[in-house]
Amino acid sequence: MLKIDRATCGYEVERLKAPFGFKGKHISALWQTAVKLTDANGLYGCAPGVQSVVWSDAAVFEHLGDQEGNEAMFHITRRACEMVEGQCFDTPVDMIRSIEEELLQFARDYTGLAELRPTFVLNALVPLDLAAWQLYARQHGYADFDSMIPMEYRQALPARHDRLARIPLISYNVDEAGVRQLTAGGDFLLKIKLGSDPDGDGDREKMLKWDMQRISQLHACLRHEETPYTDNGKIAYYFDANGRYDSRERLERLLDHMDKIGALSQTVLLEEPFPEDSGIDVHGLPVRIAGDESAHGAKDAQTLIDLGYGAVALKPIAKTLSVSLEVAALTQEKGIPCFCADLTVPPWMVDWNKNVAARLAPIPGLKVGALESNGEQNYPDWERLRSYHPMDGKGWIDGKNGLFALNGEFYRTSGGVLLDSAHYLALAGR
């Protein structure tokens, strides 16, 4: 049982190095949250979260703006803390299941958005969920990540990688020099944001033209780069359209362009091309299509698989570890690969993600596992954020030469995610 007597939470705002562009929007800061759960015996769990209003539901950003949108998400986190106080659950998975529907209705009423996406609520639930897993491990005496995971989800995490590809993010404002700097440092799997709104008028033809030019520009400077970590020996592309394409026909025009310039053969993933609930079938497209925001749980993941999606992004640090385990169990059963994507999170949260990524089978086309991590690119004081990690200084925390190197100590200590962070304890409040 998971027993919770008291729940507290707090937040702080971290500025970004430069405006961060995706989904046709730009943000300049991200709210960092923390939740602490305590039981009647004084045992506790405490974990951080990062709020991303645009990623989780761009309609909130448009309706409320940046500040009020973040305030709304934190209010949902606080409401979730109130809901679990004095309660008992079998596991953290059961905790999330038991409150998510009521919390979604609360969030819709609070924001005034009747169609608020479940991802907005899952994003708000992350620090509560991770704190619950830490408390659950302590209440049951589980010493590591593997023993903490309930038996029904363990088959979805069969691997034990000693290396993970570090996936940096190429947002709209990263130029050719910035991309060359990443590949010169060893990065070989690049996540490239598509779907810009160049004139801010929502014109999808202008978006398509911008995307074509962007891919041509990047491929021209990357097509001769080589790496030993992909099946074809070339730099690999992972494109993320964040639901910006409105039809299969328009996406096919993009793919035809990619094929003509030679970029398609280096593309291992094209993520979330269409809006959620579009119902667009992707069978027969010449690239592996991945779901992200649209996969709120196992049921949604099954819908995507039925539509022809060939991969699903797991985000323990954006949609809860609990939901990620359920999705991973389903996709493993169906033979669909998963991978872990980032939300521009700080180092300790990267290692929550890393524990899952280290145990997933590789994406087809890659010879190693993979993990997106772009916080070091986007936070101006990464070293300060790393100091909040309870195992700061360990070699697995930051990637080198395009890889995260994992050793026996990483697995024995679960990357430090079950230890205490003085900073996040203070942020959550006692």
Side-chain angles (χ1 to χ4, degrees):
M1 294 290 289
L2 170 66
K3 302 176 182 179
I4 300 168
D5 186 61
R6 186 166 181 260
T8 58
C9 59
Y11 76 90
E12 60 191 0
V13 180
E14 286 288 344
R15 307 297 298 179
L16 300 175
K17 289 180 181 178
F20 185 94
F22 65 111
K23 288 194 178 183
K25 313 293 181 186
H26 288 82
I27 57 174
S28 58
L30 288 168
W31 284 32
Q32 320 281 298
T33 58
V35 166
K36 181 183 178 184
L37 303 177
T38 308
D39 70 10
N41 298 317
L43 292 176
Y44 59 84
C46 180
V50 168
Q51 298 188 169
S52 185
V53 175
V54 177
W55 171 81
S56 61
D57 195 333
V60 178
F61 189 88
E62 293 169 359
H63 180 61
L64 297 177
D66 191 4
Q67 178 70 20
E68 288 189 29
N70 274 292
E71 289 173 357
M73 186 179 288
F74 184 70
H75 190 70
I76 295 165
T77 301
R78 187 163 50 210
R79 174 58 183 155
C81 288
E82 294 170 354
M83 292 171 69
V84 302
E85 280 193 335
Q87 302 296 313
C88 295
F89 308 94
D90 287 338
T91 68
V93 177
D94 297 302
M95 179 191 73
I96 296 298
R97 283 179 181 152
S98 70
I99 67 172
E100 61 182 338
E101 286 302 320
E102 181 181 341
L103 194 62
L104 177 59
Q105 188 56 56
F106 170 84
R108 286 172 171 168
D109 292 341
Y110 184 81
T111 60
L113 294 171
E115 301 300 321
L116 181 78
R117 300 175 67 250
T119 304
F120 191 82
V121 171
L122 290 175
N123 193 173
L125 281 170
V126 167
L128 174 68
D129 177 71
L130 297 181
W133 280 107
Q134 198 183 73
L135 177 58
Y136 177 74
R138 290 173 176 180
Q139 288 178 339
H140 290 79
Y142 299 138
D144 56 45
F145 188 87
D146 289 307
S147 58
M148 176 186 77
I149 300 300
M151 191 63 68
E152 60 264 38
Y153 304 115
R154 294 183 187 177
Q155 77 279 5
L157 304 172
R160 293 294 182 277
H161 295 294
D162 60 2
R163 294 173 297 180
L164 294 173
R166 179 184 63 186
I167 309 174
L169 180 63
I170 313 301
S171 60
Y172 301 152
N173 60 328
V174 178
D175 59 16
E176 290 179 52
V179 173
R180 288 185 184 279
Q181 184 177 5
L182 290 169
T183 57
D187 289 309
F188 58 89
L189 175 55
L190 307 179
K191 181 174 182 177
I192 301 166
K193 287 289 186 182
L194 300 179
S196 178
D197 188 0
D199 294 327
D201 57 5
D203 189 315
R204 303 297 173 126
E205 277 299 301
K206 291 179 182 177
M207 175 195 77
L208 175 60
K209 183 179 180 180
W210 188 95
D211 283 350
M212 288 179 174
Q213 291 175 340
R214 177 66 163 163
I215 294 171
S216 294
Q217 172 197 33
L218 294 180
H219 183 60
C221 74
L222 294 172
R223 58 182 177 160
H224 298 302
E225 298 278 353
E226 297 181 348
T227 176
Y229 301 113
T230 62
D231 289 346
N232 63 11
K234 297 182 178 181
I235 293 287
Y237 306 143
Y238 156 19
F239 292 105
D240 183 7
N242 283 122
R244 294 277 292 151
Y245 277 73
D246 57 342
S247 70
R248 177 171 170 136
E249 181 273 338
R250 201 184 304 276
L251 182 66
E252 287 174 337
R253 288 164 61 194
L254 178 72
L255 296 176
D256 286 344
H257 173 75
M258 291 166 59
D259 191 24
K260 287 176 183 176
I261 66 172
L264 192 61
S265 63
Q266 292 179 228
T267 302
V268 295
L269 294 168
L270 197 162
E271 182 179 288
E272 206 73 30
F274 304 118
E276 188 179 329
D277 300 327
S278 68
I280 296 174
D281 193 287
V282 302
H283 284 98
L285 291 177
V287 67
R288 187 178 297 273
I289 305 294
D292 181 9
E293 297 98 310
S294 56
H296 309 298
K299 181 179 178 181
D300 298 312
Q302 181 62 64
T303 298
L304 293 173
I305 293 168
D306 293 341
L307 288 171
Y309 282 65
V312 178
L314 300 181
K315 287 194 172 184
I317 46 71
K319 291 188 286 188
T320 76
L321 175 60
S322 294
V323 166
S324 297
L325 290 174
E326 290 189 315
V327 173
L330 170 75
T331 54
Q332 194 271 343
E333 178 185 328
K334 302 293 183 179
I336 300 295
C338 288
F339 59 98
C340 284
D342 197 10
L343 197 71
T344 313
V345 300
W348 199 28
M349 291 190 76
V350 174
D351 275 341
W352 276 101
N353 235 16
K354 198 178 293 172
N355 270 283
V356 176
R359 294 165 169 84
L360 295 172
I363 300 167
L366 301 183
K367 295 181 178 180
V368 293
L371 172 67
E372 182 193 0
S373 178
N374 62 72
E376 189 172 3
Q377 292 174 256
N378 291 294
Y379 290 115
D381 196 350
W382 187 248
E383 290 188 5
R384 172 175 54 81
L385 295 177
R386 193 174 58 220
S387 73
Y388 304 159
H389 194 306
M391 298 192 77
D392 181 25
K394 296 298 181 179
W396 66 74
I397 294 177
D398 288 333
K400 296 178 181 178
N401 301 318
L403 295 164
F404 291 104
L406 309 181
N407 56 19
E409 184 183 25
F410 170 81
Y411 285 102
R412 286 193 303 273
T413 64
S414 307
V417 299
L418 300 182
L419 302 177
D420 286 338
S421 166
H423 176 82
Y424 293 114
L425 278 168
L427 181 59
R430 298 178 183 274

